[in-house]
Amino acid sequence: MIRNSYAVRNLARGLAPLALVLSPLAAPSPASSSEVLFLPDALGRLTEAAEAPGGFKESHFPHWNKGEDPADGCDTRAEVLLDEAADAPAVGAGCALTGGRWVSYYDGQSVRDPAALRVDHLVPLAEAWASGASAWPAARRERFANDQGAPGTLVAVTARSQKDKAGRDLAEWVPADQAAYCRYVGEWVGTKLRWDLSVDAAELEALKLFADGPCEETVVVRSTAPR
């Protein structure tokens, strides 16, 4: 758990040797509206602003909806599970999933029961609300909450790791699996850029420490969310 900038600084320094043996985050093939950046450059595209958390309710972000393919009978959660499965599950009536296997990248755990998984908003809904989404129309908040158009906006993880995260931002929490730090940081920044969400001072400080150290060569895909 990262409680303050001193802890973040120590974490970033401690991960520096690890960065020497980790490959940079592989970038997916970007769409025509996407831009591929290294993390230090991507930070320059962020907008710093104080958070405005008042008035948040989870109901402001309707999810899960009918997903990208309404004809498949699966909601967004099920579509994410199908997309991220290491071994594909069987799909029954009503998009009931059985069997299959997933790897929860927050903690590196292998999971064979889809009911034991949670589909997490990598940038939590409360964080999005406080970073600009409170000014959005309801339809845009629903699109954010069900976004499958970019890597990392929604991720299948263990219930335990999602509970440990508990909606905290990157200045307070990163995954327990050290090998996942840079991926998480890159996808956090990519999601903030995609949805034009701001970062607060503590969050930006934490990001700079990662960008100046172990995650310097992490790739960030900057894409544009649908309006």
Side-chain angles (χ1 to χ4, degrees):
M1 183 184 306
I2 307 173
R3 290 294 187 186
N4 52 47
S5 60
Y6 177 79
V8 173
R9 186 173 290 106
N10 285 343
L11 175 59
R13 287 172 178 168
L15 284 176
L18 179 65
L20 298 177
V21 297
L22 288 178
S23 298
L25 179 68
S29 299
S32 58
S33 60
S34 298
E35 182 180 11
V36 178
L37 304 163
F38 284 115
L39 179 61
D41 297 320
L43 297 191
R45 310 294 181 89
L46 293 168
T47 300
E48 182 182 353
E51 290 189 349
F56 169 74
K57 294 180 181 178
E58 189 171 298
S59 59
H60 291 320
F61 294 84
H63 62 287
W64 306 107
N65 64 18
K66 293 182 179 180
E68 290 194 317
D69 181 7
D72 67 6
C74 298
D75 64 10
T76 298
R77 178 185 182 277
E79 287 183 352
V80 172
L81 292 180
L82 287 167
D83 183 61
E84 295 198 357
D87 298 324
V91 183
C95 199
L97 306 182
T98 54
R101 184 177 66 88
W102 292 261
V103 178
S104 166
Y105 99 74
Y106 285 2
D107 52 13
Q109 297 298 304
S110 180
V111 179
R112 294 189 177 275
D113 179 4
L117 291 163
R118 300 292 182 268
V119 172
D120 187 50
H121 295 92
L122 188 132
V123 172
L125 299 179
E127 170 71 16
W129 177 267
S131 302
S134 60
W136 295 349
R140 183 167 173 80
R141 290 197 293 268
E142 181 175 359
R143 286 192 289 272
F144 173 82
N146 295 275
D147 183 20
Q148 297 183 63
T153 53
L154 297 171
V155 289
V157 298
T158 58
R160 179 177 59 186
S161 65
Q162 188 195 48
K163 183 178 180 180
D164 181 59
K165 178 179 173 181
R168 289 175 288 179
D169 75 10
L170 187 138
E172 298 179 313
W173 189 91
V174 290
D177 185 354
Q178 289 189 350
Y181 286 150
C182 292
R183 173 182 170 183
Y184 186 81
V185 169
E187 290 179 348
W188 181 280
V189 173
T191 302
K192 287 266 177 153
L193 290 173
R194 175 172 168 79
W195 288 94
D196 295 323
L197 295 170
S198 62
V199 295
D200 63 27
E203 187 182 346
L204 185 58
E205 180 185 6
L207 287 167
K208 286 179 177 177
L209 290 168
F210 282 109
D212 290 342
C215 303
E216 182 179 6
E217 295 187 349
T218 292
V219 168
V220 175
V221 178
R222 182 191 185 193
S223 59
T224 303
R227 292 287 176 181

